[in-house]
Amino acid sequence: MDRSQSFGDAAEDYHRFRPGYPAEVADLVLGHAVGPVRRALEIGAGTGKATRLFAGRGVHVTAVEPDPGMRDVLEAETADLPVTVLPATFEDVDPGAVGPVDLCFAAAAFHWTDPATRWQRVAALLRPGGVVAVFGARTELADPGLAAAVAAVEAEIDAEVPGLEAAYAGPGDLPEFEAVDLTVVPRRSTYDADAYVRHLATVSAYLVLDPAERDEALNQVRALLPARLELVQDVRIQLARRA
Ligand SMILES: C[S@@+](CC[C@H](N)C(=O)[O-])C[C@H]1O[C@@H](n2cnc3c(N)ncnc32)[C@H](O)[C@@H]1O
């Protein structure tokens, strides 16, 4: 199975065990725009964690999400908000039909889009002065000894997320963008061991394993864990403005 399409089978657990995004993220993103932000396009909305952040402030969000399992949760979670769910990949979006928008954002999703075309697609969607925000949080164990022990288990299953660093490298020297900025919002969380394992089970590297292999890897990790864990879940936010 393609990792970018692995999330839907675990949509309920994804929504329950993955963290949301702090209000500060919306403050930073909205503050980067020139002029008001009324309409947004979200890339890979998933179950709506970031959708709610902006739609809850009155921004109309067109939430692009290709996976039917994720969309079921997304629709339920945003039913009371100004959100239009678009069943599509970002590559399928017609900028002429959806844009221009004041904001284009992707939370934990930009790395799944086509690196050859994504910045040009964003440029085609945004009005001048509008903002693109690419953000997300890695979940890392705060205890370095524990992190190394878990990494040894994960070395067997190719846990690296492909293309993650490139997605946060920004638009480079494309003339369509200006005011490029990378900000990190620090965040620490405490999980109990079972919740951490349920969280891990929503990560694409685990989702693509066959069930027996997945259970074995998760049991190996579970055996290493104390009852309560400290996690580093800093949110990285790549911002740029349409020139
Ligand atoms: C890790 S989830 C992030 C979901 C949500 N944005 C969040 O922050 O919780 C990645 C999402 O991107 C979606 N996705 C994968 N490939 C995509 C593409 N080419 N265009 C748009 N969305 C895509 C997946 O279906 C999945 O829901």
Side-chain angles (χ1 to χ4, degrees), residues 156-158 204-215 217-218:
E156 303 295 313
I157 63 162
D158 190 17
S204 63
Y206 285 89
L207 286 168
V208 293
L209 298 176
D210 76 55
E213 213 183 335
R214 178 164 59 233
D215 287 350
L218 291 172

Side-chain angles (χ1 to χ4, degrees), residues 79-132:
D80 57 336
L81 292 168
V83 173
T84 303
V85 176
L86 192 59
T89 64
F90 182 48
E91 291 71 24
D92 289 333
V93 171
D94 173 4
V98 177
V101 293
D102 310 301
L103 166 66
C104 179
F105 67 97
F110 206 55
H111 52 289
W112 299 122
T113 62
D114 180 356
T117 59
R118 58 193 174 203
W119 287 105
Q120 290 296 351
R121 284 181 195 285
V122 169
L125 278 158
L126 282 175
R127 65 151 170 90
V131 166
V132 51

Side-chain angles (χ1 to χ4, degrees), residues 28-106:
L28 281 164
V29 171
L30 296 173
H32 207 69
V34 173
V37 176
R38 298 200 178 93
R39 297 185 60 220
L41 179 121
E42 180 178 8
I43 302 165
T47 63
K49 288 179 181 292
T51 324
R52 287 195 69 93
L53 195 65
F54 292 96
R57 295 189 180 207
V59 178
H60 181 274
V61 181
T62 299
V64 172
E65 175 49 55
D67 187 296
M70 298 299 257
R71 276 201 312 271
D72 285 347
V73 180
L74 173 66
E75 277 162 2
E77 285 296 317
T78 58
D80 57 336
L81 292 168
V83 173
T84 303
V85 176
L86 192 59
T89 64
F90 182 48
E91 291 71 24
D92 289 333
V93 171
D94 173 4
V98 177
V101 293
D102 310 301
L103 166 66
C104 179
F105 67 97

